[in-house]
Amino acid sequence: SLHDALPISPSSASRHRRVFLPVLAALIGLAWLVLWAWARSPYGRYLAHDDWTSSGPAAFLCRAVPAGDVVLPLLLYAAAWILMTAAMMLPTTLPLFNAFDRLTAERPDHGRLLVLLGLGYMGVWGAFGLLAHLLHSGLLSVIADGPALARYGWMIGATTIALAGAFQFSKLKHRCLDKCRTPLSFVIEHWRGQAQARHAFALGVHHGVFCVGCCWALMLLMFALGTGSLGWMLLLAAVMAVEKNV
């Protein structure tokens, strides 16, 4: 039960925080470091959401692998999106992980529950990234089939920015933000402490849905501003961290 998870000695809680927070911070730092190294490498163009397979090693693999022109861009995009999500969104969820860490500190499977919470959260963002990838690929395909539309390609970016700006003032945005800004209440409301592994994963999914609900429009800006731009990633990550936690 939840009651069983609550009594935590100060020394135990402090010990867990000394281990947990540096590990999570190292994960976030590693994601940013890999993104930076990728962007500066000869394969930096594969970080951007462009035509990855027109030339170079990716083009060769596309011809060599069955259905490579579909599978390879999807794999490259998935790797880039996971890194982006880890770098940009995990810092905004530190209060959630900290609350769950404290409530489950005495459980023997404490570390596994934290990992499952993170996997559930990242899984939701992965699903959103897949939908965004399919939408963007569809738009590129439409433009490729109608060269005259390329002259109005700027309208896609302008519409995305306008949509993100309008959504900032919507009721749905603020309802989702209310859930994200009260992580301890959210965990207590949804954590039952039974079937721990399944419920930890479900808790991550549930919180991820609200997180996507308040941040999806800002994340879509990466497609308008350039998914390979570390500067825009840092700026948007800071905006989302502030609005979710302040």
Side-chain angles (χ1 to χ4, degrees):
S1 68
L2 176 61
H3 176 75
D4 296 329
L6 289 176
I8 303 172
S9 67
S11 60
S12 176
S14 177
R15 182 175 65 253
H16 281 293
R17 282 196 292 274
R18 282 200 302 268
V19 173
F20 166 69
L21 290 178
V23 168
L24 189 58
L27 252 177
I28 294 168
L30 179 62
W32 281 109
L33 180 62
V34 172
L35 283 171
W36 176 81
W38 188 349
R40 293 176 63 87
S41 75
Y43 308 102
R45 70 186 185 90
Y46 296 138
L47 183 59
H49 200 277
D50 296 317
D51 186 5
W52 293 307
T53 58
S54 59
S55 61
F60 171 77
L61 288 174
C62 276
R63 293 190 296 269
V65 177
D69 57 337
V70 175
V71 174
L72 188 62
L74 191 60
L75 290 176
L76 286 170
Y77 172 74
W81 183 261
I82 289 170
L83 283 170
M84 283 174 53
T85 305
M88 297 176 67
M89 301 312 304
L90 282 184
T92 73
T93 62
L94 283 174
L96 170 74
F97 279 94
N98 187 48
F100 189 73
D101 175 53
R102 293 173 61 192
L103 288 175
T104 61
E106 291 296 308
R107 294 185 180 273
D109 56 350
H110 167 71
R112 183 168 67 102
L113 295 180
L114 281 169
V115 170
L116 288 169
L117 175 72
L119 288 176
Y121 178 82
M122 295 291 288
V124 174
W125 274 106
F128 170 77
L130 178 61
L131 289 174
H133 169 70
L134 294 175
L135 174 62
H136 193 253
S137 297
L139 287 172
L140 292 178
S141 178
V142 169
I143 291 175
D145 290 340
L149 295 175
R151 289 179 298 173
Y152 304 99
W154 62 271
M155 293 183 63
I156 298 174
T159 301
T160 302
I161 293 172
L163 176 64
F167 185 71
Q168 288 293 102
F169 302 98
S170 70
K171 290 182 179 180
L172 175 60
K173 165 86 175 186
H174 290 281
R175 281 202 296 268
C176 292
L177 271 179
D178 286 341
K179 295 290 185 179
C180 293
R181 286 171 173 166
T182 54
L184 182 58
S185 298
F186 186 89
V187 172
I188 292 176
E189 180 183 354
H190 295 95
W191 173 249
R192 298 294 176 264
Q194 301 167 347
Q196 294 97 328
R198 179 166 57 85
H199 284 173
F201 183 82
L203 179 65
V205 169
H206 204 161
H207 194 269
V209 169
F210 284 108
C211 186
V212 169
C214 67
C215 298
W216 66 269
L218 289 176
M219 286 298 281
L220 278 186
L221 287 181
M222 292 306 303
F223 292 90
L225 302 172
T227 51
S229 171
L230 294 185
W232 282 114
M233 288 184 205
L234 280 168
L235 179 60
L236 289 173
V239 169
M240 289 185 283
V242 168
E243 72 174 7
K244 284 179 64 178
N245 297 305
V246 175

